[in-house]
Every structure is written in structure tokens, then in C-alpha cells.
Amino acid sequence: MTSVSNSTTEIPEYHDVPDTPPIPRTAVVPAAGLGTRFLPATKTVPKELLPVVDTPGIELVAEEAKSAGAERLLIITSPGKDGVVAHFVEDLVLENTLAKRGKAAMLAKVRKAPSLLDVASVIQEKPLGLGHAVGCVEEYLDDDEDAIAVLLPDDLVLPGGVLEVMARTRQRRGGSVLCAIEVPGDRISAYGVFDVEDLPDANNPNVKRLKGMVEKPAPEDAPSNLAAAGRYILDRKIFDALRRIKPGAGGELQLTDAIALLIEEGEPVHVVVHHGTRHDLGNPGGYLKAAVDFALDRDDYGPDLREWLTERLK
Ligand code: UTP
């Protein structure tokens, strides 16, 4: 098990707990949505497989889960989106061909996704919302798994390390832990926004108690500048809460409603504020920024892209 600790949310809060926080064994990646914001591409290509330079977004998220110490990746997918899981299956014909041609670097790239984690899939028959999707995994967990990590593949949260901080927060304070990023007031309306309060006993100001959430508020109604960032450590009690909430608009079960129910019932729910970058791969604008950001950092494409962009922007 590895532990990455390069997040700016790293802490004095936790000097009294062991170094390796207990990351949930199972990382759940919901990928059964329709991806309508990415049509027409998503008519046949799952958005989770769209490449950020050359690597599908879902592989980057799987790498994050692996670095955090998860052992198993449970991909929630829909009938017909088999390619998402196939990306994590060995392709021996392709591997042999690359090996015979001496393409060692390509071979390593192709082998990476299948070697990361133990991957399994869960089918969500109909896109009945993120809450419904998460509810589908309960029967696939072992009895001793008291929490899951959920990583939305639309969200890239950089640099890595926030899941570890979230796991430590759960270790110290119990319950569920969500990830927040700071968003300027004029852009806050695009997000789920957290209503939080500071903890009197926190050494780390980035850890806060969650009081509630508001979906896409008008800027003047936003309870904070902290937006949900697609990373969750959810106590197993979430499944019971999901069974007790009612579907909202479009018949969808919202994960946030189940989290709100846990808060209402006095379960501990905290957020960790992550100071870093968040890319939203779920819409073409955010996806393009992520691709450019990643490409600029690459030795093979970065210099040429930088030169072209500079010229193009003149
Ligand atoms: P989104 O609402 O952002 O994704 O859900 P979407 O529905 O695919 O996209 P649009 O809005 O139509 O463009 C957040 C995450 O939850 C998953 C999605 O795959 C995405 O990773 N999801 C959503 C499910 O797995 N099942 C659902 O029923 C809904």
C-alpha cells in the first residue's frame, strides 16, 4: 500500500494517528450516466474513455485510487458501455504485437490500466441518478467494509493526496467525508455548494463540519465558496439513507439528499478543502482545459503546443 502526501491539505491535525490512514478497500467509480453534455461524441463513445492527451479520464481516476491505497475498483456502468470496463482488461493480442515490434513504451502504457487494481463492474440498468448508482454497489461489498471511496470520473482533482486526508478525517471524526474546492463567487452557481462550520478542535482549518448543501445556488444565496469536487468517503450508512430518500427531478435519486439525511440524523459528515486544481471532464469546455493543461506539462507535446498556442492567441 502506498501513501501519497503531496496535498496542500497536509496536516498537523493528525500527528496523533498512524501514518497510513485506512482508505476504504473499494473505490467506486460511477460511470453509468448518459453524458448528454458531450453529445454527439457520447452517442457511441463513453465520456469516461475520452483521452486526456492519450489516457482516458477513468484511468487517471483509477491511478488516483490506487495511489491512495484502494485495492478494488468497482465501476458502475450501464448496458452497452462495456468499453469502460474493457479498458481495464488485458489485451494479449495487442500486447504481443507491441512486444514483437519492440514498442516497449507503448506496451507499458497498454499494460498499465489492467495492472492497477482488481476491477469489477456493476450494472445500473437505468440512469436513475448518482444516488441510485451508488446504491447499486452495496451487495458487492464484503461484510467488513464499513465505508467506500467514491470518485467521480468527470472530476480530476490535482495534485493527488486528498483521499488520504479525507481518510484521516474519517479515522479521527468518523462518518463520511467529502472534498471541497474553493470557487470564485461569480462561478459558484455551476456547483453543489457546501454550508460548513469551523471545528473548534481542528488544527487544520481545511477540515470543516458539513451542515448542508445547496445545488447550483444564485451567487447571493451561496452559503460558502466551497464547491463539491467529486471525491467522497461514505460510511456504509449511506446505503440505508439512499433507501429512505425520495426521487427528485426526473425520477433521479440524488446522493446529496442521502448525505443531507445523514446530517439531519446527527451522523458526522465533514469536508476537506482541497487547495489545488479541479478539472471538470464532463463538459467539452472543461475537458479541453484539462487536455491543454496536461499536454503543456508533457515533454513530448508541451513545447510545440505552447509555441502554437502563443502564436494562435496573438
Ligand atoms: P453527471 O450528471 O455529471 O453525468 O453525473 P452524466 O449524467 O453522465 O452527464 P450529463 O449531465 O448527461 O452530461 C455524475 C457522475 O455520476 C454518474 C455519471 O456517469 C458521472 O460519472 N452517473 C450519473 C451514474 O453512474 N448514473 C446515473 O444515473 C447518473
Side-chain angles (χ1 to χ4, degrees), residues 30-38 47-48 76 124 126-130 133 152-154 282:
L34 293 175
T36 52
R37 285 167 295 164
F38 243 117
K47 70 175 167 183
E48 297 78 12
I76 305 168
Q124 183 191 23
K126 290 193 179 134
L128 294 174
L130 177 58
L152 300 192
D154 280 0

